[in-house]
Amino acid sequence: MFGRKKIGIKTEKEIELMRESCRLLSEVHYELGQFVRPGISTADIDELGEKLIRQKGGIPNFLNYEGYPASICVSVNEEVVHGIPTRNRILQEGDIVSLDAGLIYKGYHSDAARTYGVGEISPEASRLIEVTRQSFFEGIKFARAGHHLYEIGGAIDDYVTPFGYGIVEDLCGHGIGTHLHEEPMIPNYRVRKKGPVLKPGMTLAVEPMINLGTWEVEWLDDGWTVVTSDGEYSAHYENTILITDSEPEILTLHEEERRYDV
């Protein structure tokens, strides 16, 4: 599953363009998070997301990517990722909704995801969202030059497994830059191999997808929407990060989110 293809190293100029692309995306995500509430449709979220991306000078990188028909992946409850926004899917009190979005700025991609509670949600759903978010931060403690790539997924696994949650194995994180998906593939669970050594200048999208129940997933007939096999809730948290000589730089983290420690 995991190959040995070369992982690109970004130049200083490329890193600056990545920073700006990611900063713009962090603003889009923040505004979308403020917009989420009961009574809106998933299509409303997509329309606002595309409008914000274009207003900020970006291009939605998900729109028409391998045929995906929207700018924002909007996944509700048991939908893990790649939910297709529609007019007839109305958010209800107690739902959870994952928003996965990205944009292109001057040829450079950014990618990030957040899961939100819709109105008042159950303690069980709230804990799933928080554990998923924290698992990202646990993972990137090992996203440092000199460490091995698969230490990230090992740390995510070590943190999540004691909660009894399922870690999705059919989908993973990835490199990112002038293409949305670049080398390497980044598992969110422990694998036997150590993987390549991380080096300064690598840009990675780390994105744990955690299920309340089983780790197993299925694809719906639309060819895109991934759902949990047991119908339980799923949460998703993702940021684009930069490997540096010291701690990783989280490029898509909005200033309002920076109260969380790495």
Side-chain angles (χ1 to χ4, degrees), residues 236-249:
H236 184 196
Y237 188 86
E238 175 186 19
N239 281 302
T240 299
I241 67 170
L242 169 69
I243 304 300
T244 73
D245 287 318
S246 57
E247 67 181 29
E249 184 178 342

Side-chain angles (χ1 to χ4, degrees), residues 94-105:
D95 286 341
I96 67 172
V97 58
S98 298
L99 308 182
D100 191 358
L103 63 81
I104 307 167
Y105 174 76

Side-chain angles (χ1 to χ4, degrees), residues 63-78:
L63 184 60
N64 298 319
Y65 180 78
E66 296 185 355
Y68 184 75
S71 297
I72 312 295
C73 295
V74 186
S75 306
V76 183
N77 296 338
E78 77 283 358

Side-chain angles (χ1 to χ4, degrees), residues 15-254:
I15 289 169
E16 285 306 312
L17 290 169
M18 289 286 293
R19 283 195 180 107
E20 184 62 11
S21 179
C22 290
R23 184 188 68 80
L24 295 174
L25 180 60
S26 76
E27 293 178 353
V28 171
H29 261 295
Y30 182 75
E31 293 184 57
L32 288 177
Q34 300 296 302
F35 181 64
V36 169
R37 62 184 184 274
I40 64 172
S41 72
T42 55
D44 292 331
I45 295 172
D46 178 59
E47 288 179 359
L48 176 59
E50 180 172 354
K51 178 182 177 181
L52 290 170
I53 289 170
R54 295 191 187 280
Q55 282 181 342
K56 296 176 186 299
I59 299 169
N61 53 7
F62 290 2
L63 184 60
N64 298 319
Y65 180 78
E66 296 185 355
Y68 184 75
S71 297
I72 312 295
C73 295
V74 186
S75 306
V76 183
N77 296 338
E78 77 283 358
E79 296 172 351
V80 180
V81 288
H82 306 159
I84 298 175
T86 64
R87 284 274 166 227
N88 57 11
R89 187 66 186 268
I90 306 299
L91 297 185
Q92 307 291 327
E93 186 91 12
D95 286 341
I96 67 172
V97 58
S98 298
L99 308 182
D100 191 358
L103 63 81
I104 307 167
Y105 174 76
K106 293 187 177 179
Y108 285 82
H109 290 255
S110 51
D111 192 4
R114 302 287 186 269
T115 300
Y116 300 101
V118 181
E120 185 173 345
I121 63 175
S122 70
E124 187 177 47
S126 181
R127 186 176 74 158
L128 174 66
I129 293 171
E130 175 57 23
V131 168
T132 302
R133 185 200 64 80
Q134 185 59 33
S135 73
F136 165 86
F137 289 95
E138 296 299 321
I140 67 164
K141 288 177 181 178
F142 295 88
R144 297 168 180 262
H147 280 272
H148 291 265
L149 179 70
Y150 300 157
E151 291 183 79
I152 296 173
I156 291 171
D157 198 326
D158 289 346
Y159 177 74
V160 171
T161 296
F163 290 93
Y165 297 151
I167 303 171
V168 175
E169 296 185 9
D170 292 58
L171 302 152
C172 62
H174 52 90
I176 185 169
T178 54
H179 296 83
L180 176 58
H181 295 116
E182 298 182 351
E183 290 295 325
M185 298 173 69
I186 309 169
N188 296 304
Y189 53 91
R190 184 172 297 284
V191 297
R192 290 184 180 180
K193 297 178 180 180
K194 295 195 300 182
V197 175
L198 297 174
K199 299 178 181 180
M202 292 179 176
T203 47
L204 311 173
V206 178
E207 51 176 321
M209 290 154 273
I210 311 300
N211 300 341
L212 194 57
T214 180
W215 62 271
E216 295 179 297
V217 297
E218 300 172 2
W219 271 255
L220 297 185
D221 290 342
D222 62 22
W224 282 103
T225 308
V226 181
V227 299
T228 58
S229 293
D230 57 6
E232 293 282 5
Y233 281 7
S234 182
H236 184 196
Y237 188 86
E238 175 186 19
N239 281 302
T240 299
I241 67 170
L242 169 69
I243 304 300
T244 73
D245 287 318
S246 57
E247 67 181 29
E249 184 178 342
I250 310 174
L251 302 176
T252 47
L253 199 65
H254 191 271

